[in-house]
Amino acid sequence: MIQTVAVVTANSAAIIGLLVTVGVWFAASLSVLVSRLLYDRRRRRLNDIARQLTDPSLEKLLPLDRSPAIRRILSRRTRREVYRLVASDQFPVWLTEACATYCLEHFGVEEIRRDASARHGRKWRRVSALMALGRIRGLEVYPLLEAAIRDDDPDVATAAAQVLFRIGDRAAAVILVSALRGASVPASRIATYLDQYPIPIGDLLIPLLRDPQPRTRYWAASLLERYAEYVRSAPIRTIGPHTSVERNPDRSFVGQIS
Amino acid sequence: MIEPTPALATFLRIALITTFAYAATLALYVAGMLAVAIAESRFRRRQDDVEDYEAVRGSRYTIPVSVIVAAFNEEGMIVPAIDSLLGQVYPEMELIVVDDGSTDGTLAAIDAAYDLEPRQEFLRDNIATKPVRTLYHSRTDPRLTVLVKANGGKADSLNCGVNFARYLYLCTVDADTIFASDALLKAMTLVGKDPERIVAASSLFGISLTPESDTREGPRLNQHLLGDFQHLDLMRSFVAYRTAWTRLSCMLCVSGAFALWRRDVILEAGGFSPAFTCEDIEMTFRIHERFRREGRPYRIISLPNMVAQTEGPRSARSLISQRARWQRVTLETIWHYRSMLGRARYGSVGLVGVPYYLLFECLAPVLQLLSFVALLVAVLVGALAWPTYLAFLGAVTFGTAIPTTIAVGLHDAGFRDYRVRDLVRMLVLGPLDLLIYRPILMYAGLRGTWEFLQKDRRWNKFERNTRSGRAPAAHAASI
């Protein structure tokens, strides 16, 4: 009797196990395929929209107004997904610009600002909101970026540096340059952005040559290489005020050659 | 039906309990790892979405890398491999090819393609290696250096390259591997975010039967059953397990086909060890052991990007030879670093990583064989009905396919680089894995275990796959 019960139990357990594993495998496989097919369909639609958006006759209209389809697509997506489109570097600029405009229109600056200043949790929402604000170049973005670039999380800080570089104006450069003095982003990444900065920033780098940190002085001198007008004086200033002639014979040598 | 003797009945009871306990432990471990892998993959996807590769690519402040290729009798593959490495979209790198005393036309092939000239240069000897006979520089590409040395094995060749390397990060790669043009850029961008702590990194690569002739865009399957099973095996290993181990800070194998190391850490460790059959897994264990013991902060990471296609064996015989070697080196390493097992001092490495390697890599072939025999005997003596056996086999078949399916799904969600038909093929191959591929691996594992017990240290080379229009090359693969 006991043996029969054991056999029946083993049999049932094996069959239930089989049904469960087949079910899970099938559902997982189906979801992989459906997700891919939906992605491909979305991609095709975006290509159609891209063609419409690049029509020269629509040039004067805002990206969102050029094609009703894009507004329709975005209205079906959650805020997280729209934010992700704004933040992504994988999509063409026209799409991210259109998504940023859509964010402004639907969520409002205040809401985006709140997302961009969130300090705990929702890291990627914060990064995306910062990128959205960066795309629309609102004035409220600067203090938020200044806080973000000093954030302990390197992903948030790196994203802030990237947004500042994309904004590319003088106010953004001031924040980036000050981050050279210390942030959770490696200085090499900040230097990468400053080196490729779209406007001249040599005068902002000069004060760093007097920074007490040798590391900061190094980056400043290295970045100044791009600016011919500062090249000769940069190494001299680096050595200058923090050393004395007596203790550093190099200074007198530099004084002679300058 | 056979009447079981009391001894057979006792064996069956113990074997079946072991089988079910092993299967349940494995299922629980895998479920946990998959949950962690899903979280980590989502994180990496978001990180990759916002990563600014263009800025890094155009920067003169990117961390330079010394790429080291150890080559032994790689006449057929070495030039395409060098082409793919010199074609990297990375701002600053040097390529050091170490010819480990090849007896074929490896050097002549490089010379024909890159016009080498011999030079006299001072060579550091931070790590003792076999003597370097000649040093060449390329006249056509100043980034390429070729060192020709006496044969000493892969670890010795890599050490020779480490001595010559100039830059902070080293990328050691196999000579039978073709790299995607953004392989270094993608990996180093992440490393560059935390260079003080990231001491080693690896990334996903695929298996191709003839990687040098594959010019198609994006990764593709081989349309060859064994090749595709190997491709899936690597994807499962990297995307499902190594991703999870990265999250848990216990990534225990920086794969030799594409491995980034911080040079000072390699020098501090005394270089790659020629005392082991393979050098990559042992070095990873050594770094973990040292840094954990000394309480120093560090990270070893595995990335989900497909960075390369490496040559995999076409025949079951070659595959067995290769996998037996992998089993042997795993056993050698686990045995050597057994002091880390279960020790809280080593954190997740001692409590999660090493136990996994012991249970599900080292002991797996023996336990699998035991399960297979026990279940078969149980059916023959009537202790288990055929329908129950088949249902159990079906459950295990589809159960083991679930990690593969999730790995394929995670990769596709992140990169969308396979064609839909390849995705379908990979998903369908998942359940067949247990019936066709795993028995081969089980046999290879048993052979590797036997070789380990015999203290066999041979490389067991597999012959190169036959290329169309060419006779099969009788030289070794470095994978």
Side-chain angles (χ1 to χ4, degrees):
Chain A
M1 177 66 184
I2 292 169
Q3 199 175 3
T4 313
V5 170
V7 168
V8 171
T9 311
N11 206 9
S12 317
I15 289 170
I16 291 169
L18 174 64
L19 292 176
V20 168
T21 50
V22 170
V24 172
W25 171 78
F26 186 73
S29 301
L30 198 64
S31 83
V32 171
L33 282 178
V34 169
S35 153
R36 176 56 184 270
L37 293 173
L38 286 175
Y39 172 85
D40 286 349
R41 200 177 71 164
R42 266 203 310 272
R43 195 91 203 176
R44 276 198 299 275
R45 267 200 216 165
L46 287 175
N47 286 340
D48 291 343
I49 295 169
R51 273 195 291 278
Q52 291 176 34
L53 287 173
T54 48
D55 183 346
S57 63
L58 301 172
E59 230 170 45
K60 285 181 185 160
L61 296 172
L62 287 169
L64 267 181
D65 298 331
R66 287 186 211 171
S67 165
I70 192 160
R71 201 184 292 269
R72 208 166 48 238
I73 291 175
L74 290 177
S75 66
R76 281 194 221 129
R77 314 235 70 83
T78 62
R79 180 189 301 199
R80 202 181 71 175
E81 288 170 321
V82 177
Y83 267 161
R84 201 172 158 187
L85 284 170
V86 179
S88 179
D89 254 0
Q90 323 281 321
F91 299 105
V93 177
W94 63 264
L95 177 63
T96 41
E97 298 269 333
C99 293
T101 317
Y102 179 87
C103 284
L104 193 65
E105 190 180 295
H106 281 256
F107 312 139
V109 174
E110 206 39 50
E111 192 76 5
I112 305 174
R113 206 188 61 79
R114 212 174 8 252
D115 287 335
S117 54
R119 298 305 291 263
H120 302 291
R122 298 194 165 183
K123 166 167 120 174
W124 297 114
R125 176 174 279 208
R126 184 180 178 196
V127 166
S128 306
L130 283 171
M131 294 213 164
L133 283 174
R135 296 250 185 231
I136 54 184
R137 291 175 170 72
L139 280 177
E140 54 282 290
V141 76
Y142 295 105
L144 294 172
L145 288 170
E146 197 165 3
I149 205 167
R150 304 206 174 280
D151 199 278
D152 292 337
D153 188 317
D155 288 316
V156 173
T158 310
Q162 189 180 333
V163 175
L164 286 163
F165 170 67
R166 274 194 198 147
I167 291 174
D169 63 10
R170 199 166 166 81
V174 170
I175 301 173
L176 260 184
V177 167
S178 70
L180 266 183
R181 291 196 163 104
S184 60
V185 196
S188 59
R189 179 60 78 90
I190 295 173
T192 290
Y193 287 127
L194 290 174
D195 198 38
Q196 301 170 25
Y197 211 73
I199 58 168
I201 50 162
D203 58 319
L204 295 176
L205 294 168
I206 289 293
L208 297 189
L209 295 174
R210 298 191 190 92
D211 195 275
Q213 293 289 328
R215 202 182 76 123
T216 313
R217 296 204 298 273
Y218 161 78
W219 285 114
S222 172
L223 285 164
L224 279 167
E225 193 191 321
R226 261 182 72 191
Y227 303 96
E229 65 271 30
Y230 301 115
V231 166
R232 284 186 64 199
S233 59
I236 300 156
R237 286 178 198 223
T238 309
I239 298 164
H242 295 282
T243 52
S244 70
V245 179
E246 291 73 33
R247 277 185 293 155
N248 190 346
D250 285 353
R251 194 184 173 197
S252 56
F253 171 70
V254 172
Q256 284 167 32
I257 60 163
S258 66
Chain B
M1 193 181 295
I2 305 161
E3 193 60 37
T5 61
L8 183 63
T10 310
F11 161 75
L12 264 186
R13 200 175 304 121
I14 294 169
L16 286 175
I17 289 170
T18 310
T19 299
F20 289 116
Y22 178 71
T25 315
L26 181 61
L28 276 176
Y29 187 95
V30 168
M33 286 302 110
L34 288 177
V36 177
I38 290 169
E40 177 68 6
S41 292
R42 282 185 62 184
F43 175 82
R44 291 272 170 235
R45 218 154 52 222
R46 299 305 307 269
Q47 201 177 36
D48 191 60
D49 269 353
V50 299
E51 195 53 79
D52 193 358
Y53 293 112
E54 278 308 304
V56 177
R57 184 180 168 177
S59 171
R60 63 188 171 111
Y61 294 115
T62 305
I63 303 172
V65 179
S66 298
V67 181
I68 303 172
V69 186
F72 175 69
N73 288 354
E74 291 288 358
E75 178 183 24
M77 281 292 291
I78 191 70
V79 173
I82 293 176
D83 288 346
S84 76
L85 287 165
L86 291 175
Q88 292 294 306
V89 289
Y90 196 72
E92 195 174 356
M93 59 169 277
E94 63 174 351
L95 176 59
I96 303 159
V97 178
V98 185
D99 180 357
D100 190 27
S102 295
T103 52
D104 68 349
T106 301
L107 185 64
I110 306 173
D111 187 28
Y114 287 98
D115 191 12
L116 301 178
E117 65 171 334
R119 292 242 187 111
Q120 292 283 336
E121 268 183 43
F122 171 75
L123 292 170
R124 284 187 299 262
D125 56 353
N126 295 324
I127 308 167
T129 63
K130 297 271 182 187
V132 175
R133 291 179 190 145
T134 328
L135 182 149
Y136 297 93
H137 276 289
S138 166
R139 287 192 186 96
T140 56
D141 194 322
R143 295 173 298 170
L144 175 63
T145 304
V146 180
L147 302 172
V148 181
K149 62 181 271 292
N151 183 265
K154 190 177 173 191
D156 191 69
S157 304
L158 292 178
N159 287 337
C160 184
V162 173
N163 281 339
F164 190 77
R166 287 184 293 159
Y167 297 135
L168 175 65
Y169 274 91
L170 309 170
C171 181
T172 57
V173 299
D174 281 346
D176 59 350
T177 306
I178 305 298
F179 295 86
S181 59
D182 59 359
L184 265 184
L185 180 72
K186 289 269 168 96
M188 283 304 295
T189 301
L190 193 64
V191 170
K193 275 185 165 179
D194 193 6
E196 285 179 17
R197 286 200 307 153
I198 298 180
V199 297
S202 186
S203 199
L204 169 67
F205 55 91
I207 293 284
S208 174
L209 298 178
T210 52
E212 79 284 10
S213 58
D214 202 346
T215 52
R216 294 167 296 182
E217 190 73 18
R220 292 280 188 275
L221 290 186
N222 301 289
Q223 308 303 327
H224 180 275
L225 206 56
L226 206 55
D228 290 346
F229 276 128
Q230 293 172 65
H231 195 86
L232 267 181
D233 193 11
L234 281 182
M235 183 174 284
R236 186 173 49 231
S237 168
F238 273 88
V239 179
Y241 302 137
R242 294 186 194 194
T243 305
W245 294 335
T246 298
R247 178 95 165 193
L248 298 172
S249 308
C250 56
M251 225 293 286
L252 282 170
C253 184
V254 174
S255 184
F258 181 84
L260 279 164
W261 310 94
R262 219 172 64 195
R263 185 165 164 268
D264 59 315
V265 172
I266 297 290
L267 288 174
E268 188 189 317
F272 296 97
S273 171
F276 292 78
T277 307
C278 296
E279 77 301 330
D280 47 3
I281 184 171
E282 191 277 328
M283 178 54 84
T284 320
F285 269 72
R286 201 172 347 150
I287 293 173
H288 275 298
E289 199 278 330
R290 194 183 184 103
F291 277 73
R292 294 267 175 174
R293 182 163 39 81
E294 294 172 1
R296 291 155 65 184
Y298 75 106
R299 283 172 70 200
I300 296 180
I301 59 173
S302 176
L303 305 174
N305 313 48
M306 178 82 78
V307 292
Q309 296 286 323
T310 192
E311 182 168 342
R314 187 189 287 269
S315 69
R317 195 175 154 194
S318 303
L319 179 67
I320 288 168
S321 168
Q322 182 200 53
R323 293 306 171 102
R325 172 161 48 87
W326 290 11
Q327 172 73 6
R328 192 156 25 100
V329 73
T330 306
L331 285 163
E332 286 169 9
T333 309
I334 289 289
W335 178 248
H336 189 81
Y337 293 98
R338 60 190 181 278
S339 59
M340 286 202 284
L341 180 68
R343 297 267 298 274
R345 176 186 185 180
Y346 293 101
S348 56
V349 174
L351 300 174
V352 181
V354 180
Y356 170 85
Y357 266 87
L358 179 68
L359 268 180
F360 306 124
E361 296 282 346
C362 297
L363 300 178
V366 177
L367 290 170
Q368 283 165 358
L369 180 69
L370 180 74
S371 310
F372 178 74
V373 171
L375 286 169
L376 201 66
V377 173
V379 171
L380 290 176
V381 299
L384 201 63
W386 271 108
T388 312
Y389 173 73
L390 291 176
F392 181 73
L393 185 67
V396 176
T397 302
F398 282 94
T400 50
I402 292 169
T404 310
T405 308
I406 290 178
V408 171
L410 288 176
H411 179 85
D412 192 56
F415 302 98
R416 308 287 188 196
D417 48 3
Y418 283 96
R419 295 174 303 180
V420 174
R421 78 169 83 149
D422 283 341
L423 274 185
V424 173
R425 186 174 162 89
M426 286 196 282
L427 294 171
V428 171
L429 284 179
L432 298 176
D433 181 275
L434 184 89
L435 306 174
I436 301 171
Y437 185 60
R438 295 295 174 103
I440 301 174
L441 294 195
M442 187 181 81
Y443 175 70
L446 289 169
R447 202 171 109 177
T449 307
W450 177 249
E451 287 169 0
F452 165 71
L453 294 172
Q454 299 287 306
K455 297 196 188 315
D456 186 346
R457 291 277 194 279
R458 283 172 304 163
W459 187 265
N460 285 350
K461 301 161 178 179
F462 78 80
E463 283 189 352
R464 281 270 177 251
N465 298 324
T466 312
R467 265 64 174 175
S468 54
R470 275 207 266 158
H475 52 253
S478 58
I479 183 174

